[in-house]
Amino acid sequence: MQVYKAFFKVIRKNLGQLSIYMVVFVVFAIALGNSKQNPNDINFEDTKVNIAFINKDEDSKIVNGLKEYLKGNTNIVDIGNTKEDLQDALYFREAEYIVTIPKGFTQKILNNSEKVTIEKNTRPNSVSEVYIDNLVNRYLNTAKTYTLAIDNISQSELVKYISEDLDYSTKVDVSTYENGYVSNSGCKNYYNYLAYSIFAILILGVTAVMLTFENKDLKMRNLSSALTMRSMNFQLVLGNISYAVVAWLIMILASFVMYKSYMFSMNGVLFLVNSFIFTLAALSVGLLISTLIKTRSAMSAAANVVSLGCCFISGVFVPQEFLGKTVISIAKFNPTYWYVKANEEISVLVNFTDTNVTPIIYSMLIVLGFAIAILAVALVIMKQRRFSK
């Protein structure tokens, strides 16, 4: 296994350059983990708007019922009754909505009048305006329903029925699922950014080794040795696969430290499988590039251009939903796009049904297809170069 050992001797000589990408990735991954969103931040909390309630009608039970209903959903503040007081309250945001009950309001409710309205002063097109409008409309619509259904209904009965109906509420829980919102989002980002580092590391490592073995003097010496070409090629293939697997293992190691038990869930396993298949595609790209470049000075340039270019147009640094149609159309012709697409789908996967998992498997198979196709092209070029010499 002399060629296999020589393979990793070359890797060790280039370890300094390769470690830069590993260290940068790990540091970046830790930074992502420290800046992850607090799960408490995604819980819904009801907030109450400050409003003023001014009654110009009689002190009826219907008006008091509306006031009590609004009081349960808002903060009613006292701001005075003059026009200047109202304007100052809105300007200084002491109140965001001013409800004014006009004269004859109670009788219009009891008589089923078609034009039962209230007067309001508010900041135009604000969220609070829409919210309070909905509250008032609910009360008025419920009152209208009962006055139409029950003749000569008393104010006490009407307010009682309205209160009972409007007291019904639905409990809403914002579910983060058992895997946790943070783990899904953070792990997805981790494996998306892994695409850049694994691309650069494999391209640099593979091209460094292949350029060394393509050295004219070394190649002629190997051909004149007792080692057969078949054995030499086998050891080179084994070395490339071993290098890719070791690089992949190193790159995923931090995810087990950062996301712990999540990596042993079905989502975590899919992230691992997807990243391993992508590693094979990146290895094929590295082999193809090693057949195209001639000098070591071009090695770093090729690694940076290919890895950064593929990642920028595929959704690694900019989410795919923000990319233009033309960019997406171009990105579909490289494996990074399908790798990121699968990661996005894995991160939101909760029910592991055939319908949900099939698109992920489909994306993985496309990445694997890229790996096989690119490898075939690389092997053809290698064979032609060998015969031409």
Side-chain angles (χ1 to χ4, degrees):
M1 301 289 284
Q2 297 94 329
V3 176
Y4 185 79
K5 293 179 181 178
F7 183 100
F8 283 97
K9 284 183 180 180
V10 177
I11 293 295
R12 283 197 295 270
K13 286 187 177 181
N14 292 272
L15 199 58
Q17 188 176 11
L18 296 173
S19 62
I20 292 175
Y21 290 91
M22 292 185 182
V23 171
V24 168
F25 172 74
V26 171
V27 171
F28 198 60
I30 293 173
L32 281 175
N34 291 334
S35 63
K36 62 188 178 183
Q37 182 179 359
N38 190 334
N40 295 328
D41 294 340
I42 63 171
N43 290 335
F44 173 78
E45 294 182 1
D46 192 11
T47 57
K48 293 186 176 182
V49 178
N50 289 339
I51 71 167
F53 190 92
I54 300 172
N55 181 23
K56 294 182 179 181
D57 192 32
E58 61 183 281
D59 190 21
S60 64
K61 292 183 179 179
I62 293 177
V63 173
N64 289 332
L66 174 59
K67 185 175 182 179
E68 288 300 315
Y69 173 61
L70 293 176
K71 187 176 181 180
N73 295 277
T74 62
N75 294 321
I76 297 181
V77 296
D78 185 11
I79 60 171
N81 294 324
T82 67
K83 183 178 180 180
E84 291 75 12
D85 290 336
L86 302 182
Q87 291 175 341
D88 289 343
L90 288 176
Y91 181 79
F92 293 108
R93 296 192 177 183
E94 295 175 4
E96 297 186 38
Y97 194 106
I98 300 173
V99 179
T100 303
I101 304 299
K103 290 182 179 180
F105 175 80
T106 302
Q107 289 303 316
K108 286 182 178 180
I109 291 287
L110 295 174
N111 295 335
N112 296 321
S113 175
E114 292 294 331
K115 296 182 178 180
V116 180
T117 59
I118 65 165
E119 298 174 8
K120 68 176 183 178
N121 298 90
T122 184
R123 297 175 63 86
N125 301 321
S126 64
V127 176
S128 57
E129 178 185 15
V130 177
Y131 176 60
I132 305 302
D133 283 347
N134 287 335
L135 292 178
V136 173
N137 288 334
R138 285 181 64 190
Y139 189 91
L140 297 180
N141 290 335
T142 306
K144 188 176 183 63
T145 300
Y146 279 107
T147 55
L148 288 173
I150 304 175
D151 294 331
N152 300 320
I153 186 172
S154 66
Q155 290 192 42
S156 298
E157 290 179 315
L158 179 59
V159 171
K160 177 185 175 183
Y161 292 145
I162 294 173
S163 178
E164 289 176 350
D165 286 353
L166 297 182
D167 277 345
Y168 283 110
S169 61
T170 302
K171 183 180 178 182
V172 178
D173 293 325
V174 181
S175 177
T176 60
Y177 307 114
E178 62 179 357
N179 295 326
Y181 173 84
V182 173
S183 293
N184 276 338
S185 178
C187 198
K188 177 198 71 176
N189 291 333
Y190 178 96
Y191 278 92
N192 279 352
Y193 286 116
L194 180 141
Y196 167 66
S197 295
I198 203 73
F199 235 142
I201 289 169
L202 290 182
I203 291 173
L204 285 173
V206 171
T207 52
V209 173
M210 300 307 289
L211 281 176
T212 300
F213 278 90
E214 285 297 319
N215 179 273
K216 185 176 180 180
D217 294 334
L218 180 60
K219 192 172 183 180
M220 292 181 67
R221 182 178 177 182
N222 288 335
L223 290 173
S224 63
S225 67
L227 191 66
T228 63
M229 184 61 70
R230 183 186 295 273
S231 177
M232 186 184 301
N233 289 337
F234 172 76
Q235 292 183 51
L236 279 175
V237 170
L238 185 61
N240 279 300
I241 295 174
S242 300
Y243 170 63
V245 171
V246 170
W248 174 73
L249 289 173
I250 293 173
M251 300 301 284
I252 68 170
L253 185 61
S255 65
F256 285 90
V257 177
M258 294 173 62
Y259 305 108
K260 300 179 177 67
S261 59
Y262 178 74
M263 294 309 302
F264 296 96
S265 66
M266 192 62 186
N267 297 75
V269 171
L270 288 173
F271 275 125
L272 293 174
V273 173
N274 191 36
S275 63
F276 182 75
I277 294 174
F278 178 77
T279 300
L280 298 179
L283 176 61
S284 298
V285 173
L287 286 170
L288 178 60
I289 292 176
S290 70
T291 65
L292 302 176
I293 63 174
K294 305 293 183 180
T295 63
R296 289 186 175 275
S297 59
M299 190 171 67
S300 296
N304 286 316
V305 170
V306 173
S307 57
L308 282 173
C310 290
C311 291
F312 266 115
I313 68 172
S314 300
V316 173
F317 302 115
V318 179
Q320 291 181 347
E321 59 265 27
F322 297 138
L323 298 175
K325 292 183 179 180
T326 304
V327 176
I328 290 294
S329 299
I330 297 172
K332 289 180 179 180
F333 289 94
N334 86 85
T336 313
Y337 169 83
W338 300 99
Y339 167 72
V340 173
K341 186 175 184 295
N343 281 342
E344 296 289 340
E345 292 168 345
I346 293 170
S347 67
V348 297
L349 191 62
V350 177
N351 298 318
F352 297 90
T353 61
D354 291 341
T355 303
N356 294 335
V357 176
T358 298
I360 298 172
I361 302 299
Y362 177 75
S363 296
M364 290 182 182
L365 290 176
I366 291 177
V367 176
L368 186 60
F370 271 107
I372 295 172
I374 295 171
L375 178 61
V377 173
L379 292 176
V380 169
I381 295 175
M382 288 179 181
K383 187 174 182 180
Q384 289 180 341
R385 181 178 295 179
R386 187 183 306 126
F387 282 113
S388 65
K389 294 181 180 180

